Amino acid sequence: MVNLYLLAALAPLVGAIVAGLFCRVAPRWLAAGVTIAGVAVSFVASVLIFNDVQAGHPFNGAVYTWLTAGSYRFEVGFLIDSLTTLMMLVVTFVSLMVHIYTLGYMKDDAGYNRFFSYISLFTFSMLMLVMANNFMQLFFGWEAVGLVSYLLIGFWYTRPTAIFANLKAFLVNRVGDFGFLLGIGLTLAHFGSLDYATVFVQAPEFANTTINLWGSAEWSLLTVICICLFIGAMGKSAQAPLHVWLPDSMEGPTPISALIHAATMVTAGIFMVSRMSPLFELSTTALSLVMFIGAMTALFMGFLGMVQNDIKRVVAYSTLSQLGYMTVALGASAYSVAVFHLMTHAFFKALLFLAAGSVIIGMRHDQDMRNMGGLRKYMPITWITCLVGSLALIGTPFFSGFYSKDSIIEAARLSHIPGAGFAYFAVLAGVFVTAFYSFRLYFLVFHGEERFGKAHTEHGHDEEHHGLAPGQKPHESPWVVTLPLILLAIPSVLIGIFTIEPLLVGDYFKDVIFVDAAARPVMVELAEEFHGAWAMALHAFTSLKIWLSPFWLALAGVVLSWFFYMKRPDIPAAIARRFSGIYTLLDNKYYFDKFNEIVFARGARLVGEGFWKFGDVAMIDGLVNGAARLVARVAALLRPAQTGYVYHYAFTMVVGLALLLAFWVLPLSLVK
Amino acid sequence: MSYPLLSLAIWIPVAAGIIVLSTGSDRNAGLARILALAGAMLGFVVTLPLYVGFDTTTAAMQFVESSVWIPNFNIHYRLGVDGISVLFVLLNSLITVFVVLAGWQVIKRKIAQYNAAFLIMSGLMNGIFCALDGMLFYVFFEASLIPLYLIIGIWGGPNRVYAAIKFFLYTLLGSLLFLLALIYLFNVSGSFSILEWHDLRIPQNAQIWLFLAFLMAFAVKVPMFPVHTWLPDAHVEAPTGGSVVLAAIALKLGAYGFLRFSLPIAPDAAHELTWLMIALSLIAVVYIGFVALAQKDMKKLVAYSSISHMGFVTLGFFMLSALSVEGALVQMISHGFVSAAMFLCIGVLYDRMHSRQIADYGGVVNTMPKFAALFMLFAMANAGLPATSGFVGEFMVILAAVKFNFWIGFAAATTLILGAAYTLWMYKRVVFGAMTNDPVRELVDLNRREFLILALLALCVLGMGLYPQPFTEVMHVSVDNLLKHVALPKY
């Protein structure tokens, strides 16, 4: 089987190398063909591996020894279990869809081959991340997906905004990786190994180990490790306050927003914490932090989605908010629920991004929703699939998002760790917010007055952002774009109803995800409440406590957005004027960017400048040059004596001789 | 042992250098280049058996040669390599090939002399890594200064005289104290054999003085904070080849000295002064990282980045664990590849635009896509991205540091952020963006020679990042032996 694992991982790499190395000479069909074939092979292999694992053949073993040093051994290897195979299926399927979609989306782009190379390289990196059987390789994949994300955000490298965004994304992620690496270091220092299995087996023995970090305060070792690891997850999965890079990452081409910044890479943090469940389960403090951060992100990033006008940014903030939901589930010890939402979200959010991309093509690269409206007539497939995606996102009963999101809300309700109350409120309120911004987007884009085709002077007339000319109508996108939409719409509807039972109450994750059921019985209680997928959906309609029912909250959000944007479009503007303080706060994204810009970016530059000018130039070189100058000055004082004239020297000798004689002879004569 | 491989590794380049020198004036430039390349390649080829024939199961010196040199003072011509030094002989010989190639069309005057200087320097530096006699080491150590001094002083930039003299005085100051230490050791032991010195029993007080004397010599070379300010000036003024050798090899000499002299001869002093060494190393990592951020000159930026990376080397050495010392050695080799590549990349730009100022560039990717791709790889390696060689050493040292003390690990790990910040910010300003400076529009992408050099280095960087085991395998026994030796009190 190892060969099959290697095939699954390496096939996209081969595609990436071929398309990348020869990107300037290879014909387009070759680059596209070889990468799509690579990912398709990988997808098929993933299906085979999935079946094999389901048949009871998980795998954990090394492929080669990367490095040995002292008593430590670092290996590159695979851990293939039900969590891995689920991630592999999601990654390769979405990646395949995005590859096909790219045929249409990037049709006119000069960087066509390069783009295919990057997304295949990404697929390889992501597979290495999820297939790793040790922390070191996890970190490898972790940073590699970060690299590809960096390359892709900056894909249009002549745009100043794009190259600002990609640097920002890389650096913010590096802040997370900083914590992550410290967590890995602590793990190695205390467990003596970076192999998952070895570490997890030993973990319970360290439950009461404390370490001294500062003064006399003793910290639980596992709490520190888990918090450090979670900081890594906060970077990659864009949790507040390390979320700032994700909205800006929308500067990249839309296919990668779907693949990387919605479906796969940003969920790496969720995957990682689920993988580390044997460690996190031993630290309630860490879980509380996880839950709190997730709840903050879920609610407050949702608010930001309500005021965005750029279609991609709405979806981006929605992604942030949904990642917050997953994180809340992690904090509630409902890891399998988090992974479940990760999966459903991967489908419907990839769908929404690709639909947004289709709209953007139709609008000729105008992304401002204020210039859209009424597109349903012109882009029927995009319209329907986007509606499906939105319904799944807001948690409409029977749609996949309903099952996963409702389970998260239930998990938050059932959890009793510190912070669970706030988290429950946040995820519940978030349902209303999600429904509002999702349908705000939907109505603004597909319904109402047709606002496109008007000359908008506020836009620059650079080539990338032209938009529709007056009188031009949008067209439905070609089949290579709409086919992935349809193929993603199907699981967006159906995947939840079919998989909730095995994933959440069944034993799909048995022996893979570890939950301390005695201390935190959330999953057990969830299972007790569960009476089948149909019953769960039907129950949503019959819930009586309207304010605590996600379904009614979502409906309220939809109705309100309909009222605001279809019925009385004057109201939102009036509200924005009336509550201008709050609006400004939201419009400036809580001033996170400004704060980072001033304190961290400018601060670091100033510190660097200061260190350099005062430390290196003034002090050290001042001393060095000062010493040199001192020598020069002393030399200058002595130099007049060195005239080079023989009679000067002769005169000096005579005087000297006289003095010496006086010195020796005079005392003698005095004695006489 | 059939061939005196180490002598060949030292004297082939030197002899080649003398032959190249004999071609004289620039009329024979073509011949000089070809002879230089042949000499460099031959010099590299003879080092290959050192790796292939290396016995990884012993910590003893291998390929040993010994004969009397100056009997009156018991000075021997004694050579040998162990797991710590052998890789540097290979690295040095390989880099010399790249340097000769890098100067192929770029150096336009005194071509024979230029190439000869590099070849002779390469041989002398091999001598440093091979010498087992203190006096022989010292002679090589000092002699190698002269070619580098000449390279900066003759083929350097406008401010080259200041830089060359600063470089020379800085290193000379350290060297004099080093000589005193050697003479002291000779007086105590009656021998100049470094291996015999390793077993000397020296009082703690004397060990401290010895350690400090060594420190002065080696810290300047590494360079460690606060005796590092010669390096940015030297780099800025040096021609590309000079920068490459300086960063890739010359900086390693000081670090190597710590392992060959300071730690084994004065282990108790090393233990006592660990705090000092770690503090200076961390200052190099953090403080210099910030300083690099503020640089406007690409070469200065990479020079500061070198100092910061070398901070990891000294940090790794003085945490005295197998993981940290091997990590530091890996970092040294990796830095040899990465810094060489970074300086070559800057050289490629400089040859075209005659500017090192970041502000004069912008949008280079539009006209030089091949260059941009390779430069990206090296920038990422410089920022320590996994799967490049830059990651391996940093990873090992940071892991070892977290084990040693969490906060030391914390400070060391800031390089993840700082290293990425200064490297990629520079990359962004130079390579990405629209072409705002007109000369950038005229740029021509890499020619075949440049592409060949950078592609070979890229293979080295990736190969070492993906499979570092062959590198550390060689070190294990020697490092373990060294650590055991250092752990025993000696006074």
Side-chain angles (χ1 to χ4, degrees):
Chain A
M1 285 311 276
V2 176
N3 287 331
L4 191 60
Y5 305 149
L6 284 172
L7 179 70
L10 296 180
L13 179 65
V14 172
I17 290 174
V18 171
L21 279 188
F22 307 108
C23 67
R24 286 154 52 71
V25 287
R28 287 176 157 222
W29 61 264
L30 178 69
V34 74
T35 50
I36 291 177
V39 176
V41 165
S42 185
F43 175 65
V44 173
S46 299
V47 173
L48 294 177
I49 295 168
F50 175 80
N51 287 332
D52 189 51
V53 170
Q54 288 311 105
H57 308 293
F59 174 85
N60 181 15
V63 176
Y64 72 90
T65 300
W66 185 70
L67 180 79
T68 56
S71 56
Y72 302 121
R73 169 178 287 270
F74 303 96
E75 283 171 331
V76 171
F78 293 137
L79 169 60
I80 309 291
D81 59 13
S82 49
L83 179 60
T84 309
T85 50
L86 187 130
M87 291 297 293
M88 286 171 73
L89 284 177
V90 170
V91 170
T92 52
F93 178 72
V94 177
S95 174
L96 186 59
M97 292 302 110
V98 168
H99 272 75
I100 295 171
Y101 181 91
T102 300
L103 289 171
Y105 193 87
M106 300 297 282
K107 192 163 49 92
D108 303 322
D109 200 286
Y112 189 81
N113 293 358
R114 188 162 57 95
F115 190 82
F116 273 104
S117 170
Y118 285 171
I119 52 177
S120 269
L121 182 63
F122 170 79
T123 311
F124 161 74
S125 311
M126 191 69 201
L127 287 171
M128 288 309 280
L129 191 161
V130 298
M131 292 167 81
N133 77 339
N134 62 77
F135 288 78
M136 190 274 297
Q137 193 183 335
L138 175 71
F139 192 73
F140 251 74
W142 196 262
E143 293 264 284
V145 291
L147 165 73
V148 190
S149 164
Y150 167 82
L151 292 172
L152 281 167
I153 296 170
F155 185 79
W156 287 310
Y157 45 69
T158 48
R159 293 186 189 169
T161 46
I163 58 177
F164 173 80
N166 77 342
L167 184 63
K168 176 170 164 185
F170 198 88
L171 292 183
V172 174
N173 266 294
R174 270 291 168 111
V175 175
D177 297 347
F178 166 78
F180 194 38
L181 190 57
L182 289 179
I184 294 176
L186 280 174
T187 309
L188 182 75
H190 293 271
F191 292 79
S193 170
L194 288 183
D195 186 59
Y196 289 157
T198 318
V199 171
F200 295 162
V201 164
Q202 293 179 52
E205 296 163 30
F206 286 91
N208 298 316
T209 309
T210 56
I211 54 172
N212 191 324
L213 285 186
W214 198 260
S216 57
E218 291 286 321
W219 285 71
S220 152
L221 171 68
L222 282 166
T223 298
V224 178
I225 289 181
C226 288
I227 288 176
C228 284
L229 293 176
F230 181 64
I231 290 172
M234 285 166 65
K236 196 99 330 186
S237 289
Q239 298 295 299
L242 296 185
H243 66 278
V244 288
W245 64 273
L246 187 71
D248 286 14
S249 78
M250 295 300 122
E251 289 296 335
T254 309
I256 65 116
S257 307
L259 175 63
I260 301 184
H261 304 120
T264 56
M265 183 189 85
V266 288
T267 59
I270 311 298
F271 163 78
M272 187 266 282
V273 176
S274 306
R275 184 53 95 201
M276 307 296 165
S277 59
L279 302 180
F280 279 84
E281 275 304 290
L282 295 169
S283 171
T284 307
T285 315
L287 285 176
S288 272
L289 177 77
V290 171
M291 188 176 240
F292 176 73
I293 297 279
M296 294 284 286
T297 309
L299 184 58
F300 288 98
M301 294 304 132
F303 286 145
L304 297 184
M306 302 198 300
V307 298
Q308 299 298 316
N309 290 318
D310 181 313
I311 181 168
K312 279 181 77 181
R313 289 200 179 236
V314 178
V315 191
Y317 280 106
S318 149
T319 304
L320 282 173
S321 168
Q322 297 304 307
L323 288 167
Y325 272 87
M326 296 177 211
T327 308
V328 167
L330 296 173
S333 295
Y335 306 95
S336 46
V337 178
V339 175
F340 181 40
H341 194 55
L342 184 166
M343 176 183 72
T344 60
H345 176 258
F347 294 122
F348 63 69
K349 190 53 65 67
L351 169 60
L352 281 173
F353 261 120
L354 295 186
S358 178
V359 168
I360 292 170
I361 307 176
M363 293 295 299
R364 291 187 158 257
H365 293 273
D366 185 353
Q367 303 186 183
D368 194 327
M369 296 194 297
R370 288 170 296 190
N371 301 330
M372 300 179 187
L375 290 186
R376 72 181 187 286
K377 266 198 293 186
Y378 306 98
M379 312 184 78
I381 303 178
T382 307
W383 165 49
I384 293 293
T385 49
C386 186
L387 178 62
V388 168
S390 302
L391 289 173
L393 169 61
I394 67 167
T396 314
F398 300 109
F399 283 71
S400 63
F402 163 76
Y403 291 104
S404 51
K405 194 188 269 183
D406 231 38
S407 305
I408 291 177
I409 295 165
E410 275 304 290
R413 186 175 67 83
L414 293 169
S415 177
H416 294 292
I417 64 169
F422 169 66
Y424 179 52
F425 163 76
V427 291
L428 208 52
V431 171
F432 173 79
V433 177
T434 307
F436 180 81
Y437 66 66
S438 299
F439 273 82
R440 173 174 172 265
L441 180 153
Y442 172 75
F443 289 129
L444 280 176
V445 172
F446 292 105
H447 291 270
E449 177 202 356
E450 295 175 8
R451 295 179 298 273
F452 48 80
K454 295 171 187 162
H456 15 269
T457 45
E458 70 271 25
H459 278 272
H461 286 280
D462 57 318
E463 281 180 34
E464 281 98 1
H465 291 103
H466 28 53
L468 287 175
Q472 250 182 333
K473 300 287 180 207
H475 293 288
E476 181 60 287
S477 304
W479 71 270
V480 284
V481 170
T482 50
L483 177 71
L485 295 182
I486 296 166
L487 290 181
L488 281 165
I490 296 166
S492 298
V493 181
L494 296 178
I495 195 96
I497 204 165
F498 289 115
T499 59
I500 181 168
E501 191 150 356
L503 287 186
L504 298 196
V505 299
D507 57 0
Y508 183 83
F509 285 124
K510 190 165 169 281
D511 301 327
V512 175
I513 285 173
F514 171 80
V515 179
D516 184 357
R520 285 176 286 275
V522 170
M523 286 312 292
V524 180
E525 290 170 26
L526 259 184
E528 280 167 8
E529 286 182 1
F530 184 79
H531 302 293
W534 284 96
M536 182 170 171
L538 291 174
H539 180 74
F541 297 110
T542 57
S543 175
L544 292 177
K545 285 190 224 155
I546 286 179
W547 291 110
L548 295 178
S549 157
F551 170 70
W552 295 110
L553 282 171
L555 193 63
V558 174
V559 170
L560 190 70
S561 71
W562 171 80
F563 184 71
F564 274 14
Y565 294 98
M566 297 295 292
K567 203 76 188 157
R568 295 284 304 278
D570 54 312
I571 293 185
I575 292 177
R577 270 197 307 279
R578 186 73 190 274
F579 299 98
S580 65
I582 295 175
Y583 181 80
T584 315
L585 182 71
L586 293 180
D587 201 37
N588 286 290
K589 303 153 216 152
Y590 308 118
Y591 294 97
F592 269 111
D593 282 337
K594 217 157 256 174
F595 178 82
N596 290 337
E597 177 68 31
I598 292 170
V599 175
F600 291 114
R602 199 173 303 170
R605 287 204 295 271
L606 279 178
V607 168
E609 196 84 18
F611 278 173
W612 180 39
K613 291 272 161 66
F614 293 106
D616 266 37
V617 176
M619 290 185 51
I620 299 174
D621 269 355
L623 208 67
V624 172
N625 294 339
R629 225 169 284 134
L630 185 70
V631 172
R633 218 165 278 160
V634 172
L637 284 179
L638 297 178
R639 198 172 300 129
Q642 311 272 318
T643 57
Y645 296 118
V646 176
Y647 51 87
H648 281 176
Y649 294 153
F651 176 73
T652 316
M653 280 162 69
V654 170
V655 173
L657 196 62
L659 285 174
L660 275 178
L661 282 176
F663 188 68
W664 279 326
V665 177
L666 273 181
L668 290 177
S669 60
L670 285 176
V671 169
K672 276 181 193 166
Chain B
M1 219 36 268
S2 45
Y3 295 102
L5 286 173
L6 297 180
S7 282
L8 289 176
I10 297 169
W11 300 112
I12 284 180
V14 174
I18 292 168
I19 294 170
V20 170
L21 203 55
S22 71
T23 62
S25 75
D26 285 345
R27 272 176 311 176
N28 301 323
L31 179 66
R33 288 193 188 108
I34 288 168
L35 284 175
L37 184 62
M41 285 173 69
L42 186 64
F44 175 60
V45 169
V46 295
T47 61
L48 289 175
L50 293 178
Y51 184 82
V52 178
F54 192 83
D55 180 0
T56 56
T57 57
T58 173
M61 289 295 165
Q62 305 185 33
F63 309 102
V64 174
E65 296 166 32
S66 184
S67 53
V68 176
W69 181 21
I70 307 175
N72 285 354
F73 295 98
N74 203 0
I75 296 173
H76 289 248
Y77 175 79
R78 197 183 282 127
L79 305 175
V81 286
D82 62 0
I84 292 170
S85 51
V86 64
L87 290 175
F88 295 105
V89 177
L90 279 118
L91 177 70
N92 178 27
S93 305
L94 177 63
I95 293 290
T96 307
V97 179
F98 291 142
V99 166
V100 171
L101 277 175
W104 203 259
Q105 292 143 339
V106 181
I107 298 298
K108 296 209 165 54
R109 60 195 178 91
K110 300 196 177 92
I111 289 148
Q113 290 84 341
Y114 175 85
N115 283 312
F118 278 102
L119 284 166
I120 292 171
M121 182 164 58
S122 162
L124 297 175
M125 285 178 171
N126 276 343
I128 300 172
F129 290 117
C130 299
L132 293 180
D133 183 282
M135 197 41 74
L136 188 63
F137 181 96
Y138 186 76
V139 169
F140 281 132
F141 199 68
E142 293 306 298
S144 69
L145 275 181
I146 299 166
L148 197 51
Y149 174 74
L150 293 177
I151 288 165
I152 297 174
I154 296 175
W155 291 274
N159 206 8
R160 57 183 182 264
V161 177
Y162 170 76
I165 291 179
K166 194 172 177 184
F167 161 70
F168 194 79
L169 290 181
Y170 246 120
T171 44
L172 194 68
L173 173 76
S175 302
L176 291 177
L177 289 167
F178 183 43
L179 183 62
L180 282 179
L182 294 183
I183 292 169
Y184 170 85
L185 285 167
F186 172 71
N187 280 338
V188 177
S189 68
S191 158
F192 273 105
S193 162
I194 296 173
L195 294 182
E196 277 176 45
W197 289 347
H198 286 186
D199 297 324
L200 271 186
R201 299 196 156 271
I202 304 167
Q204 172 76 340
N205 207 15
Q207 278 195 34
I208 299 267
W209 286 109
L210 272 178
F211 187 91
L212 292 176
F214 288 143
L215 178 63
M216 279 305 287
F218 301 141
V220 166
K221 283 260 170 160
V222 168
M224 294 178 76
F225 178 89
V227 286
H228 62 275
T229 59
W230 63 271
L231 186 71
D233 285 321
H235 270 307
V236 165
E237 300 304 329
T240 302
S243 283
V244 169
V245 172
L246 189 57
I249 311 298
L251 303 192
K252 310 303 178 299
L253 301 174
Y256 171 72
F258 282 122
L259 291 189
R260 193 57 88 218
F261 289 89
S262 309
L263 281 174
I265 294 176
D268 305 296
H271 281 296
E272 194 161 325
L273 294 174
T274 295
W275 62 271
L276 174 69
M277 302 306 291
I278 289 180
L280 292 178
S281 305
L282 288 179
I283 292 174
V285 172
V286 180
Y287 166 93
I288 299 292
F290 275 108
V291 172
L293 204 54
Q295 299 308 310
K296 295 167 184 67
D297 178 312
M298 285 190 272
K299 258 193 162 178
K300 267 200 173 167
L301 193 149
V302 179
Y304 276 110
S305 139
S306 279
I307 302 170
S308 179
H309 284 113
M310 290 306 287
F312 268 90
V313 173
T314 47
L315 177 66
F317 284 168
F318 286 91
M319 291 188 302
L320 296 172
S321 68
L323 186 62
S324 72
V325 174
E326 288 187 16
L329 285 167
V330 168
Q331 172 83 347
M332 284 164 73
I333 296 167
S334 156
H335 182 256
F337 294 138
V338 177
S339 64
M342 290 295 281
F343 281 117
L344 285 169
C345 283
I346 295 171
V348 164
L349 290 177
Y350 184 79
D351 293 341
R352 287 163 174 70
M353 302 250 303
H354 300 284
S355 167
R356 291 178 312 264
Q357 299 303 313
I358 294 171
D360 290 343
Y361 290 86
V364 168
V365 63
N366 296 294
T367 38
M368 302 178 72
K370 270 191 272 181
F371 168 78
L374 284 162
F375 193 21
M376 165 60 73
L377 174 72
F378 298 126
M380 282 294 170
N382 202 44
L385 194 85
T388 66
S389 63
F391 169 72
V392 188
E394 277 182 19
F395 181 68
M396 294 167 79
V397 173
I398 290 173
L399 290 190
V402 173
K403 185 176 168 73
F404 188 85
N405 176 309
F406 180 80
W407 293 108
I408 291 177
F410 185 92
T414 54
T415 195
L416 278 183
I417 304 164
L418 287 172
Y422 60 68
T423 312
L424 296 184
W425 190 36
M426 172 187 83
Y427 188 87
K428 176 196 156 196
R429 287 176 292 166
V430 171
V431 176
F432 284 148
M435 292 179 287
T436 44
N437 292 307
D438 279 332
V440 174
R441 285 177 221 282
E442 317 285 307
L443 285 175
V444 187
D445 208 347
L446 298 176
N447 62 31
R448 265 144 97 191
R449 177 184 56 86
E450 290 164 334
F451 184 79
L452 175 75
I453 302 172
L454 292 179
L456 285 175
L457 275 167
L459 287 181
C460 295
V461 166
L462 282 174
M464 190 175 178
L466 291 172
Y467 192 37
Q469 175 72 357
F471 293 88
T472 55
E473 217 166 38
V474 176
M475 305 166 186
H476 289 328
V477 180
S478 297
V479 169
D480 282 349
N481 186 57
L482 173 73
L483 290 173
K484 262 184 223 133
H485 180 89
V486 175
L488 297 172
K490 277 198 10 178
Y491 51 86

